[in-house]
């Protein structure tokens, strides 16, 4: 694995472990708090996550394992090793938000692959729900592939 892949994977793992991000909207449908109003009293409860570190680690490992079960039908490698997963966030309510890309904007399974990813991650015990978004910035290129994926597609 090259340095870029290792760095990307470390960033992905850190994003999954960073569960103290405030929710974008309150679950009761009320008005979300103003993020600019960071007072010491408001920050007092955000020091610790509701999920214990062991559970965060388990969820992280299980989510990555689930992502590795999803394959691009045109390429004999899973989407995680291909470098198509850009970001994974898990909130304290165990909702997972995934930002991913495709090998090309005109990918024939562009409408189906997010559903495959959502279904795979929703099958992980402890995950409450999954939202998958397709992004094209930065655009995917072969440098995002792991050595395992390069070997699978015969790039060595």
């Amino acid at each position: 694995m090259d340095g870029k892949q290792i760095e990307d994977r470390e960033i992905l793992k850190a994003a999954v472990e960073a569960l103290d991000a405030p929710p974008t909207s309150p679950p009761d449908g009320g008005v979300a708090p103003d993020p600019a109003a960071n007072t010491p009293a408001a920050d007092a409860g955000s020091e610790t996550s509701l999920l214990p570190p062991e559970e965060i680690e388990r969820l992280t490992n299980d989510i990555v394992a689930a992502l590795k079960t999803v394959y691009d039908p045109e390429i004999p490698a899973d989407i995680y090793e291909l470098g198509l997963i850009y970001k994974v966030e898990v909130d304290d309510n165990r909702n997972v938000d995934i930002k991913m890309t495709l090998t090309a904007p005109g990918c024939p399974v562009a409408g189906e692959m997010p559903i495959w990813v959502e279904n795979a991650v929703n099958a992980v015990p402890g995950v409450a729900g999954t939202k998958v978004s397709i992004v094209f910035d930065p655009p995917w290129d072969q440098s995002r592939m792991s050595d395992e994926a390069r070997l699978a597609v015969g790039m060595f």
Side-chain angles (χ1 to χ4, degrees):
M1 207 178 323
D2 64 17
K4 175 98 173 103
Q5 285 291 321
I6 291 170
E7 179 181 303
D8 288 348
R9 292 183 195 291
E10 291 302 316
I11 290 169
L12 175 63
K13 185 173 181 180
V16 171
E17 292 174 352
L19 299 177
D20 60 344
T24 56
S25 63
D28 63 0
V31 177
D34 180 5
N38 286 334
T39 62
D43 289 341
S46 66
E47 291 293 321
T48 60
S49 172
L50 297 176
L51 298 176
E54 309 82 44
E55 181 63 3
I56 294 168
E57 183 175 351
R58 185 198 65 80
L59 275 174
T60 301
N61 293 337
D62 291 353
I63 289 169
V64 169
L67 291 170
K68 288 182 166 208
T69 67
V70 180
Y71 283 74
D72 184 317
E74 297 180 327
I75 304 171
D78 68 76
I79 63 169
Y80 186 82
E81 296 299 333
L82 283 172
L84 298 181
I85 303 298
Y86 284 0
K87 187 176 186 181
V88 176
E89 291 181 336
V90 181
D91 68 19
D92 284 333
N93 294 320
R94 300 171 182 263
N95 295 304
V96 181
D97 184 28
I98 297 175
K99 303 281 189 259
M100 65 171 292
T101 195
L102 304 168
T103 55
C107 177
V109 293
E112 299 168 50
M113 193 174 294
I115 297 167
W116 300 341
V117 170
E118 181 179 337
N119 290 340
V121 175
N122 278 341
V124 171
V127 169
T130 305
K131 176 185 169 199
V132 180
S133 302
I134 300 289
V135 297
F136 292 103
D137 187 29
W140 180 87
D141 63 46
Q142 294 177 354
S143 70
R144 295 188 165 276
M145 295 170 65
S146 70
D147 288 345
E148 181 180 318
R150 290 176 195 276
L151 185 60
V153 300
M155 290 183 67
F156 282 113

